[in-house]
Amino acid sequence: MDLEVFEIINILGLIIGLAFGAIAQKKQFCFSGSIKDYMLTKSTKRGSSVLMAMIIAIISTTIVAHYFEIDLTESNYYRENINYFSIIIGGALFGAGMMIADGCGNRQLVKFAQGDPNALIALVFIGIFAFATANGLLNGFFSPITKNETLLSWSAILGNVTMNVYFVVGILVLILAFVIKRTKRLISLIDGFLIGLLIAASWYVTGVMGEESIERMIELNGITFIYPTAKTFELFSFYQVNVLTFNIAVVIGVVLGAFAMSKINRQYSFGCTANQNINRSKYNMFGGALMGTGGVLSIGCTVGQGLTGLSTLALASAVAIISIFISAVITAKYLNKRDKLPMCFIFDWDDNTPDYQI
C-alpha cells in the first residue's frame, strides 16, 4: 500500500506521541510538578529532567536544523508582529492555570490516560477556551491587546531575535549543575534526554519530510499541546470537515502511549486521598480555562514554548517560559498557604549509591 507523504508524517507524529506519552508516564515528566516538588519537599529531580529536556532539545534541534538546512524562523515562534505584552499576559495566565489544575496540557493528557477522570475536565476546558481565544468570543475581548498598534510597535523595537545557542545552553547547564548537586544523578534524567530528542525529531519530520509533501501543505512545527488539543476535539466532533495533522497525531499518540505504559507502570494511580478539601472539578475547569486562553496568547505551553519554541532560540519563547514559570511559582505559593497544593506521590533522588557525591 502506497502512502502519501502527509500520511507518513501523521504516522510518524503518532509514533513520536506514543514515545512522549510512554516516557512522560513512566517518569511522570512534568513542568508544574517540578515546581510543586520543590515547594513541598525541596526535591529537584523532576525539575532537573525538565532542564535536561530543554538542553537536549536546543542542542539536537540546532544540529538537525543546520545539517538539513531547516529555517526555524519560518515557524510560528517567529511570527510577524510579535507582541511581547500578549505573550507575557498569556504566560501568566497559563502558569497560574497549570498550578490550579495540577498539570499543564501534556500532563493532563498523561493523567487522563492513566486514570484521572478530572484530567478530562481540564482538557475539555483547555480546548473550549483555546478555540474561544483563537477564533471565538475571547478573540475580540483580547484584540485591544493582541492587535494594539502601540504595543506591537514597542515589541518591534526589541524584535524577535535569535538568541545565541552557547549563551542559552550555558545558562541552562549552570542551572542544572546547581540543582542536581551530584554528577551521577545525570543518569536518572533519561526521560528529559529522550524528550529533548523527540523535539528535534518533530522538527525533522515537519521541516524535512514536510517539504516533500505535494498533496497537503505541512506546517513547520514541533511538539505543542494547547491548540492541538482543541483541534483534536474538533476532529473528533466534526471529522468530515477536518483533517488529521501532525500535531493532532502527536496528541492522540501521547494518550495512547501513556495509557499503554500505565498498564505496565502501575505505581501511579489517581485514587489520591491527599487534600480532600479541594474541589478538583472546579479547579480543573478554572485552570483549564486559564491554560486554554494563556496557551494561545503566549503561542504555546510549557512544552510548546518551553521545549519546542526554546529549541528555535526565539527570544519570544524565552519570554513566554519565564512568564509561565514566575506566574506558576507565585500561584503555587498562594495555593500552598491555603493547603490546596496536592501531593499524591513523592519524587526524589535515589542516592543509595555511595559515590554519588561530587
Side-chain angles (χ1 to χ4, degrees), residues 62-197:
T62 300
I63 293 172
V64 168
H66 176 76
Y67 186 82
F68 293 101
E69 299 181 347
I70 303 173
D71 185 4
L72 295 175
T73 62
E74 295 295 319
S75 69
N76 195 39
Y77 303 103
Y78 284 89
R79 64 171 60 173
E80 293 182 5
N81 296 327
I82 199 75
N83 188 331
Y84 283 106
F85 297 90
S86 174
I87 288 174
I88 291 171
I89 292 170
L93 292 175
F94 188 91
M98 75 177 188
M99 299 311 301
I100 293 171
D102 193 26
C104 58
N106 80 91
R107 179 62 178 159
Q108 298 296 343
L109 291 170
V110 172
K111 288 171 70 174
F112 169 63
Q114 63 186 15
D116 183 359
N118 285 310
L120 180 59
I121 297 174
L123 289 170
V124 169
F125 274 76
I126 285 173
I128 292 172
F129 278 81
F131 259 134
T133 306
N135 307 305
L137 179 65
L138 291 179
N139 182 272
F141 178 80
F142 285 106
S143 60
I145 298 173
T146 59
K147 298 177 182 179
N148 186 288
E149 292 296 332
T150 301
L151 298 182
L152 288 170
S153 63
W154 288 349
S155 298
I157 295 173
L158 183 59
N160 194 10
V161 299
T162 300
M163 299 179 292
N164 182 279
V165 62
Y166 299 106
F167 174 78
V168 177
V169 171
I171 292 295
L172 291 173
V173 168
L174 288 175
I175 297 173
L176 179 61
F178 176 77
V179 300
I180 199 172
K181 305 296 184 186
R182 302 169 182 179
T183 53
K184 286 192 176 181
R185 287 176 170 176
L186 285 170
I187 194 66
S188 66
L189 306 182
I190 186 65
D191 55 331
F193 182 87
L194 293 175
I195 285 176
L197 292 180

Side-chain angles (χ1 to χ4, degrees), residues 295-348:
V296 171
L297 293 177
S298 61
I299 324 177
C301 54
T302 48
V303 172
Q305 282 286 30
L307 295 181
T308 299
L310 197 62
S311 73
T312 71
L313 298 171
L315 178 61
S317 295
V319 172
I321 195 61
I322 290 171
S323 301
I324 290 172
F325 176 76
I326 292 173
S327 174
V329 169
I330 293 172
T331 305
K333 287 184 176 180
Y334 173 77
L335 291 173
N336 192 32
K337 286 183 178 179
R338 301 186 65 200
D339 193 30
K340 294 186 181 294
L341 197 63
M343 172 63 80
C344 296
F345 307 102
I346 303 297
F347 302 92
D348 210 348

Side-chain angles (χ1 to χ4, degrees), residues 106-297:
N106 80 91
R107 179 62 178 159
Q108 298 296 343
L109 291 170
V110 172
K111 288 171 70 174
F112 169 63
Q114 63 186 15
D116 183 359
N118 285 310
L120 180 59
I121 297 174
L123 289 170
V124 169
F125 274 76
I126 285 173
I128 292 172
F129 278 81
F131 259 134
T133 306
N135 307 305
L137 179 65
L138 291 179
N139 182 272
F141 178 80
F142 285 106
S143 60
I145 298 173
T146 59
K147 298 177 182 179
N148 186 288
E149 292 296 332
T150 301
L151 298 182
L152 288 170
S153 63
W154 288 349
S155 298
I157 295 173
L158 183 59
N160 194 10
V161 299
T162 300
M163 299 179 292
N164 182 279
V165 62
Y166 299 106
F167 174 78
V168 177
V169 171
I171 292 295
L172 291 173
V173 168
L174 288 175
I175 297 173
L176 179 61
F178 176 77
V179 300
I180 199 172
K181 305 296 184 186
R182 302 169 182 179
T183 53
K184 286 192 176 181
R185 287 176 170 176
L186 285 170
I187 194 66
S188 66
L189 306 182
I190 186 65
D191 55 331
F193 182 87
L194 293 175
I195 285 176
L197 292 180
L198 290 177
I199 301 298
S202 67
W203 286 120
Y204 173 81
V205 171
T206 60
V208 177
M209 299 182 66
E211 287 290 311
E212 301 174 4
S213 178
I214 300 174
E215 306 82 5
R216 187 183 298 173
M217 180 177 291
I218 305 299
E219 180 183 1
L220 176 63
N221 211 334
I223 300 175
T224 186
F225 290 106
I226 297 303
Y227 195 62
T229 295
K231 295 296 288 184
T232 303
F233 282 121
E234 183 185 42
L235 179 66
F236 180 77
S237 303
F238 306 102
Y239 179 77
Q240 292 181 338
V241 295
N242 292 281
V243 296
L244 180 66
T245 64
F246 173 82
N247 289 121
I248 294 175
V250 170
V251 170
I252 296 172
V254 168
V255 174
L256 295 177
F259 176 75
M261 180 58 73
S262 70
K263 298 304 177 183
I264 302 170
N265 182 40
R266 293 179 176 272
Q267 69 183 101
Y268 301 111
S269 62
F270 282 87
C272 178
T273 58
N275 291 332
Q276 288 293 323
N277 61 327
I278 296 177
N279 187 331
R280 196 69 271 166
S281 296
K282 180 180 73 174
Y283 274 53
N284 281 30
M285 289 179 189
F286 186 50
L290 291 176
M291 284 191 284
T293 298
V296 171
L297 293 177

